[in-house]
Amino acid sequence: IPRAQAIFNSLAAANGPLALASAYFVGVGHVKLKKYDEAINVFKGITSQAGRDERENQVKELAWMSLGRVQFELGQFDEAIVSYREIPPEPKNINYPDSLYETAWAHIRKKDFARARNATELLKLVSEGTVLEPEADILAGTLQLKLQKYDEASEEYERVGNKYGAVYDEIHALLSTDQDPVKFFDKMLAKNDKNL
């Protein structure tokens, strides 16, 4: 990792078209080495710069997400929430649902379940059809429990069961045959390579 960081540091210092992306990888290296203060400094440095093009703006978003994640790991939940809020709430922004999910968890860690529920409700709207959709559904039910809204929690869990139970049963039935699960999923992916 230190060798890779040295290479990325030199690219970042050159201030060329790969400078922000290189700096981002330096920050990731610090996280991997558990040098969180250095990682925070690198990510803050990236987020303070103006993006020159769409690619650099995407790197800045990744830096905001990474900054929030490091802050979350360090127990700096308020700071993490501020970082996650920097992700633009645009419909096609692939980072936005993740920022809402992680914001909800930061509120949960602060025991602010009402705000966590608000973030989760918004997450449920923007995560439809994504891998976060079931996570958002389950989290919504859990937050209803935390808020002692037992009827709402029960309804939410029932919706989750109805929504995903049939899929679970179908996959379980297919895997309980004598088929090799790896071959089965490889075959299924080969059939559906355009529409996963």
Side-chain angles (χ1 to χ4, degrees), residues 174-175 179-194 196:
L174 289 170
L175 292 178
Q179 294 183 21
D180 178 4
V182 174
K183 288 181 184 176
F184 169 76
F185 282 110
D186 285 343
K187 185 177 168 184
M188 190 161 71
L189 288 172
K191 285 182 186 177
N192 298 306
D193 63 349
K194 292 181 182 165
L196 295 176

Side-chain angles (χ1 to χ4, degrees), residues 8 13 24 30-31 44 46 59 64 73 96 104 106 110 116 125 129 133 136 148 157 162 172-173 183 187 191:
F8 285 123
Y24 177 77
H30 286 312
V31 171
K44 282 184 176 180
I46 294 168
V59 172
W64 279 118
E73 286 301 314
Y96 185 57
K110 290 176 53 179
L125 294 174
E133 184 177 5
Q148 299 180 349
Y157 287 135
N162 292 337
H172 183 69
K183 288 181 184 176
K187 185 177 168 184
K191 285 182 186 177

Side-chain angles (χ1 to χ4, degrees), residues 13-81:
N15 202 25
L18 299 176
L20 279 187
S22 298
Y24 177 77
F25 286 115
V26 170
V28 170
H30 286 312
V31 171
K32 188 78 172 160
L33 294 170
K34 299 188 185 316
K35 295 181 177 180
Y36 299 122
D37 291 335
E38 289 92 334
I40 286 173
N41 289 334
V42 169
F43 294 139
K44 282 184 176 180
I46 294 168
T47 60
S48 68
Q49 296 185 38
R52 294 178 285 199
D53 56 27
E54 183 58 32
R55 189 173 71 192
E56 285 192 352
N57 288 332
Q58 290 173 350
V59 172
K60 281 183 64 172
E61 277 190 29
L62 291 175
W64 279 118
M65 288 295 294
S66 296
L67 178 59
R69 289 171 177 156
V70 172
Q71 291 165 329
F72 182 93
E73 286 301 314
L74 294 175
Q76 300 169 356
F77 304 121
D78 290 326
E79 293 88 344
I81 291 166

Side-chain angles (χ1 to χ4, degrees), residues 104-123:
W105 274 104
H107 284 302
I108 289 169
R109 290 290 178 92
K110 290 176 53 179
K111 306 270 191 246
D112 188 349
F113 302 122
R115 285 194 175 153
R117 185 187 62 190
N118 293 342
T120 303
E121 290 301 318
L122 187 53
L123 172 63

Side-chain angles (χ1 to χ4, degrees), residues 108 113 116-117 120-121 124 133-160:
I108 289 169
F113 302 122
R117 185 187 62 190
T120 303
E121 290 301 318
K124 286 178 66 170
E133 184 177 5
E135 297 288 337
D137 291 338
I138 292 168
L139 185 56
T142 302
L143 287 168
Q144 297 289 18
L145 278 178
K146 296 278 187 191
L147 292 167
Q148 299 180 349
K149 296 186 176 190
Y150 303 114
D151 291 338
E152 292 90 339
S154 180
E155 290 171 16
E156 192 68 48
Y157 287 135
E158 191 172 319
R159 273 193 295 275
V160 169

